């Protein structure tokens, strides 16, 4: 038992300790009570600095910053088809201050794995899609084909001699091209690269003869005459490419592959934070100004509720799994 004298002697130090604890807990409670966001939000962007993904992340981040009153910075983390950035976000505190900006390449990455490192239904919360873009089929200008019909005839006359490039085995471009091969019964040789930066010199120098790519990214090489655009994956002709026929016009019915960018949060992020970000994205993406601005660049703005976004992710994952099984790509 502590004597009255001892307790009297210790009382000042005990009071000091209690005050310190009260200060710590008071600060924590005050911080938790602050409206979200109260500090900088970071987008982990799943591509290299300067890439299309990185540029889009910075644009959306600035628009979101304007709406929420806090800076949104972008941290580009290229590698492993989006897995590096995804793991960083998954391992971050689920407080809404670290979000993942990534294309649906992350979905194909999961589909291609025997044992996926990231499970989109368990590790992340899908907040909303943001922008959707279209693929063009591009060939080197030295390929003696100016139309899709001529290219198919040329490829069939040269089985196993026409190379196509992708940004990696199991990536979206790989899956899209294999689907195209199967539809047209073509014998094309796959040459995988570690990314677009490696692929571009190869197609410009005719080391590979074709690739599927973002219609906005390749336009300078069309203008220079180094590449030729044979068709696009949009359901109707794009305003900025009125002379490029759609794949459906060319007889590839139902062949309308797209790529899209979306925003994700770590699993466990409070629902009010997810709802806040989703509502701000709705305000940004559904305006006529945003729709017209991105349409002029070949993109469509897309907004969905988190529940609908999650369904979209799982439906696309199932579709990619079916494609992989159908064309018999070996999972890694």
């Amino acid at each position: 038992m502590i004597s009255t004298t001892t307790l009297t002697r210790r009382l000042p130090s005990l009071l000091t300790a209690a005050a310190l604890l009260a200060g710590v807990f008071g600060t924590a409670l005050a911080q938790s009570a602050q409206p979200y966001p109260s500090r900088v939000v970071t987008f982990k962007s799943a591509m290299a600095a300067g890439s299309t993904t990185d540029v889009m992340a910075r644009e959306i981040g600035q628009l979101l910053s304007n709406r929420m009153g806090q800076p949104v910075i972008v941290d580009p983390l290229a590698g492993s088809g989006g897995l590096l950035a995804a793991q960083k976000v998954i391992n971050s505190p689920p407080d809404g201050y670290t979000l993942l900006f990534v294309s649906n390449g992350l979905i194909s990455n999961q589909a291609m794995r025997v044992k996926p490192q990231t499970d989109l239904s368990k590790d992340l919360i899908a907040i909303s899609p943001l922008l959707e873009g279209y693929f063009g089929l591009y060939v080197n200008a030295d390929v003696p084909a100016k139309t899709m019909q001529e290219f198919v005839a040329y490829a069939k006359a040269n089985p196993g001699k026409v190379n196509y490039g992708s940004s990696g085995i199991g990536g979206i471009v790989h899956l899209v091209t294999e689907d195209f091969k199967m539809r047209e019964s073509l014998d094309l040789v796959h040459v995988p690269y570690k990314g677009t930066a490696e692929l571009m010199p190869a197609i410009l120098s005719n080391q590979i003869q074709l690739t599927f790519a973002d219609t906005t990214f390749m336009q300078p090489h069309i203008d220079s005459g180094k590449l030729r655009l044979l068709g696009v994956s949009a359901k109707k002709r794009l305003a900025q490419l009125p002379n490029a026929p759609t794949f459906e016009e060319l007889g590839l019915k139902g062949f309308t592959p797209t790529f899209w960018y979306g925003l994700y949060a770590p699993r466990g992020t409070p629902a009010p934070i997810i709802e806040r970000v989703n509502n701000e994205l709705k305000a940004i993406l559904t305006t006529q100004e945003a729709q017209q601005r991105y349409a002029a660049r070949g993109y469509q703005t897309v907004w969905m509720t988190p529940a609908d976004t999650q369904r979209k992710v799982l439906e696309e994952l199932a579709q990619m799994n079916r494609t992989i099984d159908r064309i018999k790509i070996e999972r890694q």
Side-chain angles (χ1 to χ4, degrees), residues 183-184 246-256:
R183 288 170 179 267
E184 294 295 322
T246 68
F247 294 146
E248 289 206 334
E249 284 181 72
L250 296 170
L252 290 163
K253 299 301 181 184
F255 187 58
T256 56

Side-chain angles (χ1 to χ4, degrees), residues 44-160:
K44 299 294 185 182
S45 169
M47 282 293 174
S51 65
T52 302
T53 301
D54 183 60
V55 170
M56 293 300 177
R58 293 179 192 280
E59 290 184 3
I60 297 295
Q62 183 59 58
L63 294 171
L64 195 59
S65 174
N66 295 342
R67 292 281 311 177
M68 299 201 301
Q70 291 292 340
V72 177
I73 63 172
V74 176
D75 181 16
L77 292 169
S80 304
L83 282 177
L84 181 60
Q87 287 300 319
K88 286 284 187 181
V89 173
I90 290 167
N91 294 327
S92 297
D95 54 12
Y97 289 98
T98 305
L99 304 175
L100 176 65
F101 189 103
V102 68
S103 76
N104 54 338
L106 187 62
I107 304 175
S108 66
N109 195 304
Q110 178 172 335
M112 274 297 298
R113 296 293 187 270
V114 176
K115 295 181 179 180
Q117 293 176 260
T118 298
D119 189 324
L120 289 165
S121 64
K122 296 179 181 178
D123 299 329
L124 294 164
I125 298 174
I127 300 176
S128 178
L130 306 168
L131 299 166
E132 185 174 62
Y134 308 99
F135 288 104
L137 175 54
Y138 296 88
V139 298
N140 183 278
D142 289 338
V143 173
K146 294 184 178 181
T147 66
M148 180 73 79
Q149 184 179 16
E150 290 177 358
F151 173 76
V152 169
Y154 171 76
K156 287 185 175 181
N158 294 275

